[in-house]
Amino acid sequence: MTEASSSLDPQTRISLYRQMLRIRKFEEKTHELYKAGRLTGMSPHLCIGEEASAVGVISALNPDDYILSTHRGHGHCLAKGAEMGKMYAELFGKETGYCHGRGGSMHIADVAKGNLGANGIVGAGCPIALGAGLSIQKRHTKQVVVCFFGDAATNQGTFHEAMNMSKAFRLPIVWVCENNLYGLSTPIENVAATPTLSDRARGYNMPGVTVDGMDVEAVRAAAQEAVVRARAGEGPTLLEVKTYRYFGHGASDHRPYRTREEEQDWWKRCPVANFRRKLLSEGVTTEADLAELEQKIDAEVAAGIAFAESSPDPEPEKSTLYVYTED
Amino acid sequence: MTEASSSLDPQTRISLYRQMLRIRKFEEKTHELYKAGRLTGMSPHLCIGEEASAVGVISALNPDDYILSTHRGHGHCLAKGAEMGKMYAELFGKETGYCHGRGGSMHIADVAKGNLGANGIVGAGCPIALGAGLSIQKRHTKQVVVCFFGDAATNQGTFHEAMNMSKAFRLPIVWVCENNLYGLSTPIENVAATPTLSDRARGYNMPGVTVDGMDVEAVRAAAQEAVVRARAGEGPTLLEVKTYRYFGHGASDHRPYRTREEEQDWWKRCPVANFRRKLLSEGVTTEADLAELEQKIDAEVAAGIAFAESSPDPEPEKSTLYVYTED
Amino acid sequence: MAEKTYREAIIEAMAEEMRRDERVVLIGEDVGRFGGAMGASKGLFQEFGSDRVIDTPISEAAIIGSGLGMALTGQRPIAELMFIDFSGVCMDQILNQVAKVRYMLGGQVKVPLVIRTQAGAGKGYAAQHSQSLEAWFTHVPGLKVVMPATPRDAKGLLKSAIRDDNPVMFIEHKLLYNTKGEVPEDPDFLIPLGVAEVKREGSDLTIVSHSRQVLNCLEAAGELSRQGIEAEVIDLRTLRPMDFEAVKASVEKTGRLVSVEEGYPQCGIGAEVVARVAEHCMDSLDMPPIRIASKDSPIPFARILEQETLPSPRRIVERILAARKWTRHSQDSRLAV
Amino acid sequence: MAEKTYREAIIEAMAEEMRRDERVVLIGEDVGRFGGAMGASKGLFQEFGSDRVIDTPISEAAIIGSGLGMALTGQRPIAELMFIDFSGVCMDQILNQVAKVRYMLGGQVKVPLVIRTQAGAGKGYAAQHSQSLEAWFTHVPGLKVVMPATPRDAKGLLKSAIRDDNPVMFIEHKLLYNTKGEVPEDPDFLIPLGVAEVKREGSDLTIVSHSRQVLNCLEAAGELSRQGIEAEVIDLRTLRPMDFEAVKASVEKTGRLVSVEEGYPQCGIGAEVVARVAEHCMDSLDMPPIRIASKDSPIPFARILEQETLPSPRRIVERILAARKWTRHSQDSRLAV
Ligand SMILES: Cc1ncc(C[n+]2csc(CCOP(=O)(O)OP(=O)(O)O)c2C)c(N)n1
Ligand SMILES: Cc1ncc(C[n+]2csc(CCOP(=O)(O)OP(=O)(O)O)c2C)c(N)n1
Ligand SMILES: [Mg+2]
Ligand SMILES: [Mg+2]
């Protein structure tokens, strides 16, 4: 790592914390809404526990860099600058949502901010990231693409094709594998040839790095290194972020495939709580300041939900709008 | 390698030579027939130059082991014990061909001999090989599966899924990559992240071996090691066989993408001619014996073609036979 | 006979066939201890163990290929594809390998493989988890395509599919898993593939449908009946081979055809049904046929949009009632009011 | 105007659009220096260089995904898929990404992507290199589907496809590349997508077709004319959106419909055409519609089997002549002998 965690200035560190907390609170509320039966559709895939990945990686990007996100993508979307109101509105299926209610949680996107979209197909973002990389290469813009995917996605053919081509063409891409140990009920160690997923990079002659995904500063530092490499035209990196999803795959998943002890151990490593403690103990901020920050986020959440709730439904007669540009 | 080339007994060595020559002569005749306009359909993908791969690998197998072959599969088919007559008949589209004229060169198969078939889709044999491996594992039969594919096939998603799953499940499979440096017009080095394709194995924690594909004894020895491992339940191996196709991808390919010098250099390494010289210089056989052997093969080729030519066409009214078992 | 859910019927069919024939194995994502994303393999791992109920990586091409490779080497696999929408990532294995290998090899092999998957919308799963792609598979020679609408059919057809020596796409519907119905317990209860069933008799009009839309059609038929129109509802059950004789016999009786499906409208199952009727019994038609399908768009997420997109009993009734106005031989029509 | 081959027309269309708009790029296997497996990109690499004509690994999902990713970030890519049969290995990218992303994202993006590929049988390429899968793509909302039959159409339609802001499956036919015809040289010559063309006028019967089968239909129409039957031949050119108005107008004139396609028979383009006619102008039909397609099997290798499998002028003529016997209103039929 090029940068020790302490080298970050206080404002940046507080900002990292704020972003993680925003995600945590957004997701907690989403969970609550779903449990209360106020969201329709597939139970949202929450990223509670994985906030340091989204925030650490995306904090290493410029606003005009691109990301491709996953079915577990609320954190990525928020970290790339999305508004909570438009996100909640999308989860509620409202006309004011990012996708005008067409996409929902699994297809959330904020293209204006460089988030080219979540994806409901495991591994499907990888080939699309290649195209964004090629287009940057052709336009010589020095942008970078970050493509997120889960541990289980590394077993998809698309992952492989994308890894190979990105390296062969030296594309400015950072491949971020959010390894939360499971793909739905299946422990990755049962179905992957390599227990350490950054080892996959060895088959592509590509730098492969594993980082503690519960430490936002470590994630940011590792991402920054990869981003610098990409921006300098030195090609892609595979960054494995070791993390954990505290909740089930979806709300109906009662996690019979893992123990409560395992979960407790990971809760002890909570990226948000621990970073909070660290900031306080290192004197970077105070309880009072954090309380204020927390209140602001609570207000943002409340305002977001109010916006979503008061928004109109899409017009059913326009259900086929956006199939083609001519519509 | 467990076995020095000289450790093979004379009969085995002569048999290896005989098999290579059979393939060479079969293919030369095929080329001649195609050039003369006597074969219809896509120009056959000849394996001239790659004989040591098919023969070396398959000579390490038992008769009840399985292979999956490729669009460049005549050599595999012959080495696994197919009859020339039924093969030529298939190339001629005759009712007496292995596939009753339904498949042709690209789908040639001899299931009774364990050849589960060539494939027209690059990389498509890999997932099928997994199933053969699973079925062996379940039946505890100690059989082994060899799956052949080209260098370019290692860039397909199916290759990756199969490599990963075979290792995660310790399947009895030998993955044989016939690296002839090109996928159609494209040099593999332009489009692959790793110049040495056995390096791909590193991303799967799998033994990866590169062997001189112009030396049939070296290929056989390397294959044997992998086969022993597979049969012992120790899982798969990726074996890269470095070889060269002396002809174009198909007959209409005039190879603008490579130089005649490069081809000449590889001709100097001809697996058939060099092994012949070796057998003679080491006193394993004599010119006279080889002349006899050659004549026998010429006769087999001639008989095969005569059989094919004199065979009936499929009956057009039965064109839909074999779509379903009820047909 | 016992009242069972569609899900239970599916599980029971697999369990019975696995007991009967040890070559039958199940392979797919999370099908083992977890019991399947839809819970449609619950208990099988516990009974049959990891040799016969195999959890895979998220590698659908490898799953289908594994099924094929096992089928070619003496097993009778069932490969589960979690959502039919994921067929995109393994389509080559289905289209070019599974469906064609027997033909390409001139009959050297049989492919006793069942690909079990589930389709359909109505749960707000949005565009990539709600499709009804049965028309695609029906298009492809070499495959059989089965879509049961009831627990009884699910069991009898799945058992037949497993015993069939040809590849079968067995497509369940995600909204049906919790529906209930009588299911025979005889382990030799089978429903042959390729045979439609008249799910309701009627004399005025023929409604042809399959999978969950059969339930909508029956509901619509109830409403029509209250309005004095007796609809016959034919459940195709198997889309390939299609039991066109059953459709023809009904249309010749009623003189009117409505096809209802949940898939996309163009080149769908309805197109095939209507085209065959037009070719083979146009003279029996007293009114132009009616096709009802999803709207011509990806499936939207928002409930209000999704409901608008899908066929519903109300839409079916409305279309049929509206059609009466343009009945051709309205003089002699039984439908004319 | 100059006489050009279909291949030249394709190359010219791409070259002109690449000159006109530097956002247009071509990506695919062997499309660069080699000029494409079908020679349909010869010279482009030499003129536009490796930034705009990109040779890829054999990774079709990566090719289509690259096209999509470029389209989302300001380029106007053409992605070449060497054979339509290979769509199986990249179908998810086409079905679930390219076709749906604009809709799923509620219009946040446009997808100006052309997927150029080639289809069709007749060269003895066997089951995995001879398919006509246009019905699959036509089934999918979000895609446009174009299949030109002549060099002129190839050029005008490809240029329109490249300028279109929606994803277009542009499907060439392998047997057409060497066919010749007049091709306008005006760089602004465009043929709008979604407009069929009457390729031959006739009063007795309407034949609807597309791609290479249009040539067979024209040949059949010549033979029929010698037998006193004047067939109108409509080339759909674009299958989605389909110019049904053109079909309807013709059927209303002739009273008879024959559809001819090279794809598999069930749930094909012919099913859609016949179904629409049955729904919307059944009263105009004097005879049951006729569907002609490939036989219901994978495409066989042997020439004698392949010829048997495909539609041909002879088969078209025979089917039409046989049909005259069962003309419904044979008294007043112009076709009756
Ligand atoms: C191609 C494909 N296969 C299966 C699924 C169903 N599915 C959705 S998420 C998921 C688990 C993905 O695991 P991972 O990639 O590790 O991401 P995580 O959910 O753990 O964040 C599965 C199996 C899918 N959406 N797409
Ligand atoms: C999925 C797929 N993509 C492309 C092709 C067209 N194609 C057939 S063989 C070939 C080259 C394959 O190269 P390689 O795997 O190295 O085998 P080789 O021909 O060199 O033996 C190509 C591009 C195909 N058949 N299937
Ligand atoms: Mg995971
Ligand atoms: Mg090669």
Side-chain angles (χ1 to χ4, degrees):
Chain A
M1 296 180 211
T2 49
E3 175 182 61
S5 57
S6 56
S7 77
L8 288 181
D9 62 77
Q11 282 325 304
T12 305
R13 298 179 81 191
I14 291 169
S15 159
L16 293 178
Y17 176 69
R18 196 182 63 80
Q19 303 246 42
M20 288 201 293
L21 193 64
R22 258 184 103 220
I23 295 174
R24 175 65 57 95
K25 285 182 176 280
F26 181 93
E27 290 291 70
E28 282 173 349
K29 197 72 193 177
T30 299
H31 189 57
E32 197 185 305
L33 289 166
Y34 185 79
K35 284 285 186 190
R38 288 174 57 203
L39 296 181
T40 59
M42 193 177 279
S43 118
H45 304 103
L46 305 174
C47 67
I48 295 181
E50 309 187 0
E51 296 87 350
S53 171
V55 172
V57 170
I58 292 173
S59 73
L61 294 181
N62 294 338
D64 69 341
D65 290 331
Y66 299 117
I67 68 164
L68 285 125
S69 172
T70 69
H71 60 284
R72 202 172 299 290
H74 299 170
H76 310 141
C77 197
L78 285 163
K80 197 77 174 73
E83 294 167 35
M84 283 195 184
K86 288 193 186 180
M87 284 182 67
Y88 278 125
E90 190 57 34
L91 301 194
F92 276 95
K94 295 299 183 79
E95 178 62 26
T96 54
Y98 271 108
C99 310
H100 300 298
R102 268 70 179 171
S105 164
M106 232 178 340
H107 305 295
I108 209 151
D110 181 3
V111 177
K113 292 275 167 61
N115 177 359
L116 299 179
N119 211 309
I121 303 295
V122 167
C126 298
I128 305 171
L130 290 176
L134 280 165
S135 137
I136 291 168
Q137 202 172 56
K138 180 179 164 244
R139 292 182 280 119
H140 307 290
T141 58
K142 299 275 172 200
Q143 288 160 286
V144 165
V145 185
V146 163
C147 181
F148 289 100
F149 45 86
D151 45 285
T154 64
N155 296 330
Q156 271 287 328
T158 46
F159 162 81
H160 169 72
E161 296 190 7
M163 293 288 285
N164 178 64
M165 190 163 131
S166 70
K167 171 66 186 176
F169 291 5
R170 281 184 158 249
L171 299 178
I173 305 182
V174 183
W175 302 108
V176 179
C177 176
E178 300 187 302
N179 183 356
N180 60 13
L181 310 186
Y182 298 90
L184 221 172
S185 78
T186 306
I188 185 71
E189 64 185 5
N190 291 1
V191 290
T194 50
T196 298
L197 295 176
S198 61
D199 282 355
R200 298 263 199 218
R202 299 164 66 208
Y204 308 102
N205 242 337
M206 191 190 289
V209 179
T210 297
V211 68
D212 176 2
M214 306 317 254
D215 177 347
V216 67
E217 292 178 291
V219 173
R220 179 184 157 101
Q224 222 149 27
E225 245 189 274
V227 166
V228 165
R229 199 153 37 228
R231 229 184 276 291
E234 289 163 22
T237 302
L238 173 59
L239 178 60
E240 178 190 20
V241 179
K242 296 275 282 212
T243 181
Y244 201 76
R245 64 162 155 74
Y246 290 140
F247 285 53
H249 176 72
S252 63
D253 166 14
H254 301 296
R255 297 113 56 220
Y257 45 83
R258 66 190 195 190
T259 62
R260 293 304 84 93
E261 292 69 48
E262 179 184 297
E263 294 181 355
Q264 285 314 317
D265 286 348
W266 280 94
W267 270 113
K268 289 187 198 123
R269 302 178 53 196
C270 173
V272 185
N274 287 351
F275 196 49
R276 184 181 205 279
R277 251 192 305 275
K278 198 173 180 190
L279 293 182
L280 287 170
S281 75
E282 295 184 10
V284 178
T285 185
T286 63
E287 282 284 3
D289 283 353
L290 288 183
E292 195 188 316
L293 183 153
E294 197 161 327
Q295 269 174 19
K296 276 197 189 145
I297 294 175
D298 286 337
E300 189 187 0
V301 167
I305 290 175
F307 171 76
E309 286 191 318
S310 65
S311 287
D313 281 332
E315 296 170 60
E317 318 77 63
K318 295 198 179 148
S319 74
T320 63
L321 189 63
Y322 308 124
V323 181
Y324 296 99
T325 55
E326 296 90 1
D327 295 331
Chain B
M1 295 178 211
T2 49
E3 174 183 63
S5 58
S6 56
S7 77
L8 289 180
D9 62 76
Q11 283 325 305
T12 305
R13 298 180 82 191
I14 290 168
S15 160
L16 293 178
Y17 177 70
R18 195 182 64 80
Q19 303 246 42
M20 288 201 293
L21 193 63
R22 256 184 104 220
I23 295 172
R24 174 67 57 96
K25 284 182 176 281
F26 180 93
E27 290 291 70
E28 282 172 349
K29 197 71 193 180
T30 300
H31 188 58
E32 198 183 304
L33 289 165
Y34 185 80
K35 284 285 188 190
R38 287 174 57 205
L39 298 180
T40 58
M42 194 177 278
S43 120
H45 304 103
L46 305 174
C47 66
I48 294 180
E50 310 188 358
E51 297 86 350
S53 172
V55 171
V57 170
I58 293 173
S59 73
L61 294 182
N62 294 339
D64 69 343
D65 290 331
Y66 300 117
I67 68 164
L68 284 124
S69 170
T70 69
H71 61 284
R72 202 172 298 291
H74 299 170
H76 310 141
C77 197
L78 285 163
K80 197 75 175 74
E83 294 167 34
M84 283 194 184
K86 288 193 188 181
M87 284 183 68
Y88 278 125
E90 190 57 34
L91 301 194
F92 276 94
K94 294 298 184 80
E95 179 62 26
T96 55
Y98 273 108
C99 310
H100 301 297
R102 267 72 178 171
S105 164
M106 231 177 339
H107 306 294
I108 208 151
D110 180 3
V111 176
K113 292 273 167 63
N115 177 359
L116 300 180
N119 211 308
I121 304 294
V122 167
C126 298
I128 305 172
L130 290 176
L134 280 166
S135 136
I136 292 168
Q137 203 175 53
K138 178 178 166 244
R139 291 183 280 118
H140 306 290
T141 60
K142 299 274 171 202
Q143 289 161 286
V144 164
V145 185
V146 163
C147 180
F148 290 100
F149 47 86
D151 46 285
T154 64
N155 296 329
Q156 271 286 330
T158 47
F159 162 82
H160 169 71
E161 296 190 7
M163 293 288 284
N164 178 65
M165 190 163 131
S166 69
K167 171 65 186 176
F169 292 4
R170 281 183 159 250
L171 298 178
I173 305 181
V174 183
W175 301 109
V176 179
C177 175
E178 300 187 302
N179 183 355
N180 61 14
L181 311 187
Y182 299 89
L184 222 172
S185 78
T186 306
I188 186 70
E189 64 184 4
N190 292 1
V191 290
T194 51
T196 298
L197 295 176
S198 62
D199 283 354
R200 298 265 199 218
R202 299 165 65 210
Y204 309 101
N205 241 338
M206 192 191 289
V209 180
T210 297
V211 66
D212 176 2
M214 305 317 254
D215 176 347
V216 68
E217 293 178 291
V219 173
R220 178 183 156 101
Q224 222 148 26
E225 245 188 275
V227 166
V228 164
R229 198 154 37 227
R231 232 185 273 293
E234 290 164 22
T237 303
L238 173 59
L239 179 60
E240 177 189 20
V241 180
K242 297 274 283 209
T243 182
Y244 202 77
R245 65 164 154 72
Y246 289 139
F247 286 53
H249 175 73
S252 63
D253 166 15
H254 301 297
R255 298 112 56 219
Y257 46 84
R258 66 191 197 190
T259 63
R260 293 304 84 92
E261 292 68 48
E262 178 184 297
E263 294 181 355
Q264 285 315 315
D265 286 348
W266 280 94
W267 270 114
K268 290 188 196 122
R269 303 178 51 195
C270 173
V272 184
N274 287 352
F275 195 50
R276 184 181 205 280
R277 251 192 305 277
K278 197 172 180 190
L279 293 181
L280 287 170
S281 75
E282 295 182 9
V284 178
T285 185
T286 63
E287 281 286 3
D289 284 352
L290 289 183
E292 195 188 314
L293 183 154
E294 197 160 329
Q295 269 173 19
K296 277 198 190 144
I297 294 174
D298 287 336
E300 188 187 0
V301 167
I305 291 175
F307 170 78
E309 286 191 317
S310 64
S311 287
D313 281 332
E315 297 170 61
E317 319 77 64
K318 296 197 178 149
S319 74
T320 63
L321 190 63
Y322 308 125
V323 182
Y324 295 99
T325 56
E326 295 90 1
D327 295 331
Chain C
M1 285 237 274
E3 175 105 330
K4 295 247 162 71
T5 64
Y6 187 89
R7 177 183 291 107
E8 287 162 348
I10 298 283
I11 296 171
E12 202 170 84
M14 289 193 282
E16 286 177 9
E17 295 306 305
M18 289 177 82
R19 278 174 215 134
R20 179 177 169 272
D21 185 344
E22 67 164 25
R23 297 169 302 173
V24 179
V25 300
L26 175 65
I27 183 167
E29 292 159 16
D30 307 292
V31 297
R33 218 178 282 281
F34 193 67
M38 302 291 139
S41 59
K42 277 239 163 22
L44 298 180
F45 179 86
Q46 288 73 10
E47 178 172 355
F48 300 100
S50 63
D51 253 18
R52 297 186 60 198
V53 183
I54 305 168
D55 268 337
T56 66
I58 306 190
S59 308
E60 282 81 4
I63 294 171
I64 305 299
S66 290
L68 176 53
M70 285 196 276
L72 295 178
T73 56
Q75 306 302 301
R76 304 186 71 84
I78 305 165
E80 180 177 305
L81 185 60
M82 200 186 283
F83 283 74
I84 200 170
D85 311 70
F86 308 161
S87 60
V89 298
C90 55
M91 193 55 91
D92 179 69
Q93 289 291 319
I94 303 177
L95 169 72
N96 288 328
Q97 314 301 330
V98 167
K100 296 184 176 44
V101 65
R102 176 176 165 78
Y103 186 80
M104 294 188 302
L105 268 51
Q108 288 182 68
V109 294
K110 290 177 184 174
V111 183
L113 168 66
V114 177
I115 301 177
R116 270 191 53 239
T117 187
Q118 54 84 25
K123 294 189 77 158
Y125 285 4
Q128 294 175 337
H129 288 75
S130 303
Q131 291 172 92
S132 296
L133 296 172
E134 58 266 27
W136 271 20
F137 300 102
T138 302
H139 190 54
V140 180
L143 299 177
K144 297 185 178 183
V145 183
V146 178
M147 287 190 86
T150 67
R152 182 176 191 278
D153 288 347
K155 182 170 179 190
L157 289 165
L158 181 50
K159 286 167 67 81
S160 292
I162 295 170
R163 295 189 194 186
D164 202 288
D165 277 338
N166 298 282
V168 179
M169 289 292 303
F170 190 90
I171 309 173
E172 300 155 21
H173 193 295
K174 56 175 73 60
L175 279 189
L176 292 177
Y177 285 115
N178 293 327
T179 59
K180 288 193 173 164
E182 294 290 316
V183 178
E185 305 210 308
D186 172 6
D188 280 323
F189 164 68
L190 296 172
I191 295 176
L193 306 191
V195 180
E197 185 178 63
V198 176
K199 282 278 193 304
R200 176 194 172 113
E201 296 205 2
S203 52
D204 295 335
L205 125 128
T206 300
I207 306 182
V208 178
S209 190
H210 59 274
S211 191
R212 190 178 89 88
Q213 290 301 325
V214 170
L215 308 193
N216 281 350
C217 292
L218 289 170
E219 204 178 314
E223 175 58 28
L224 288 169
S225 176
R226 282 186 283 280
Q227 307 213 17
I229 299 168
E230 292 305 328
E232 180 144 305
V233 177
I234 296 187
D235 177 1
L236 288 171
R237 301 200 292 198
T238 302
L239 303 178
R240 180 183 261 271
M242 190 181 282
D243 185 359
F244 180 65
E245 287 312 307
V247 175
K248 188 160 176 272
S250 179
V251 168
E252 283 170 352
K253 178 173 79 174
T254 66
R256 291 174 188 85
L257 172 69
V258 178
S259 98
V260 179
E261 71 197 305
E262 203 175 303
Y264 301 125
Q266 299 188 34
C267 299
I269 301 300
E272 182 62 27
V273 169
V274 168
R276 286 204 203 185
V277 166
E279 288 172 301
H280 300 295
C281 41
M282 193 176 88
D283 283 348
S284 307
L285 286 178
D286 291 326
M287 141 186 136
I290 296 173
R291 261 195 301 170
I292 300 175
S294 270
K295 288 209 170 172
D296 197 22
S297 87
I299 309 289
F301 164 70
R303 187 171 204 83
I304 192 171
L305 296 177
E306 190 186 33
Q307 292 308 321
E308 176 73 15
T309 301
L310 303 179
S312 64
R314 192 176 52 76
R315 246 179 88 196
I316 297 168
V317 169
E318 281 175 7
R319 280 288 299 277
I320 289 171
L321 293 182
R324 286 198 293 176
K325 304 193 190 102
W326 31 281
T327 296
R328 183 148 62 149
H329 307 295
S330 42
Q331 280 77 358
D332 65 337
S333 166
R334 282 153 294 186
L335 257 186
V337 261
Chain D
M1 286 237 274
E3 174 106 329
K4 295 247 161 71
T5 64
Y6 187 88
R7 178 183 290 107
E8 287 161 349
I10 298 283
I11 297 171
E12 203 170 84
M14 289 193 282
E16 287 176 8
E17 295 305 305
M18 290 177 82
R19 277 175 215 133
R20 181 177 168 272
D21 183 345
E22 66 163 25
R23 295 169 303 173
V24 179
V25 300
L26 175 66
I27 182 166
E29 292 158 17
D30 307 291
V31 297
R33 219 178 281 280
F34 194 66
M38 303 291 140
S41 58
K42 278 236 161 27
L44 298 180
F45 178 87
Q46 288 72 10
E47 178 172 354
F48 301 100
S50 61
D51 253 18
R52 296 186 60 198
V53 183
I54 305 167
D55 268 338
T56 67
I58 306 189
S59 308
E60 282 81 3
I63 294 170
I64 305 299
S66 290
L68 175 54
M70 285 196 277
L72 295 179
T73 54
Q75 306 302 300
R76 304 187 69 86
I78 304 164
E80 181 177 304
L81 184 59
M82 200 187 281
F83 284 73
I84 200 170
D85 312 69
F86 308 162
S87 60
V89 297
C90 55
M91 194 56 91
D92 178 69
Q93 290 292 318
I94 303 177
L95 169 71
N96 289 328
Q97 314 301 329
V98 166
K100 296 183 175 42
V101 64
R102 177 177 164 75
Y103 186 79
M104 295 189 301
L105 269 51
Q108 288 182 66
V109 294
K110 292 177 182 173
V111 183
L113 168 66
V114 178
I115 300 177
R116 270 190 53 239
T117 186
Q118 54 85 24
K123 293 190 76 157
Y125 285 4
Q128 293 174 336
H129 288 76
S130 302
Q131 292 170 90
S132 296
L133 296 172
E134 58 267 27
W136 272 19
F137 300 103
T138 302
H139 190 53
V140 180
L143 299 177
K144 297 185 177 183
V145 183
V146 178
M147 288 191 84
T150 67
R152 183 176 190 279
D153 289 346
K155 182 169 179 191
L157 289 164
L158 182 50
K159 286 167 65 82
S160 292
I162 295 169
R163 296 189 193 185
D164 201 287
D165 277 337
N166 298 281
V168 179
M169 288 293 302
F170 190 90
I171 309 173
E172 300 154 21
H173 193 295
K174 57 175 72 59
L175 279 188
L176 291 178
Y177 285 115
N178 293 328
T179 58
K180 288 193 175 165
E182 295 290 317
V183 177
E185 306 210 308
D186 172 7
D188 281 320
F189 164 68
L190 296 171
I191 296 176
L193 306 190
V195 181
E197 185 177 64
V198 176
K199 283 278 194 303
R200 177 194 170 110
E201 296 204 2
S203 52
D204 294 336
L205 120 132
T206 300
I207 306 182
V208 179
S209 190
H210 59 274
S211 191
R212 191 178 89 88
Q213 291 300 325
V214 170
L215 307 194
N216 281 351
C217 292
L218 289 170
E219 204 176 315
E223 176 57 28
L224 288 168
S225 175
R226 282 186 284 280
Q227 307 213 19
I229 298 167
E230 293 306 328
E232 180 144 306
V233 177
I234 295 187
D235 177 1
L236 288 171
R237 301 201 292 198
T238 302
L239 303 178
R240 178 185 262 271
M242 190 181 282
D243 186 359
F244 181 64
E245 287 312 308
V247 175
K248 188 160 178 271
S250 180
V251 169
E252 283 170 351
K253 177 172 78 173
T254 66
R256 291 175 187 85
L257 172 68
V258 177
S259 98
V260 180
E261 71 198 306
E262 203 174 303
Y264 301 125
Q266 299 187 34
C267 300
I269 302 299
E272 181 63 27
V273 169
V274 168
R276 288 204 201 184
V277 166
E279 290 173 299
H280 300 293
C281 41
M282 192 176 89
D283 284 347
S284 307
L285 287 178
D286 290 327
M287 143 186 135
I290 295 173
R291 261 194 303 171
I292 300 175
S294 269
K295 288 209 169 172
D296 197 22
S297 86
I299 309 289
F301 164 70
R303 185 171 206 85
I304 192 170
L305 296 177
E306 189 186 34
Q307 292 308 322
E308 176 72 17
T309 301
L310 303 178
S312 64
R314 194 176 51 76
R315 246 179 88 196
I316 297 167
V317 169
E318 281 174 8
R319 279 288 298 277
I320 290 171
L321 293 181
R324 286 198 293 174
K325 302 191 193 107
W326 31 282
T327 294
R328 183 147 62 146
H329 308 294
S330 44
Q331 280 77 355
D332 65 337
S333 164
R334 282 154 295 186
L335 257 186
V337 261

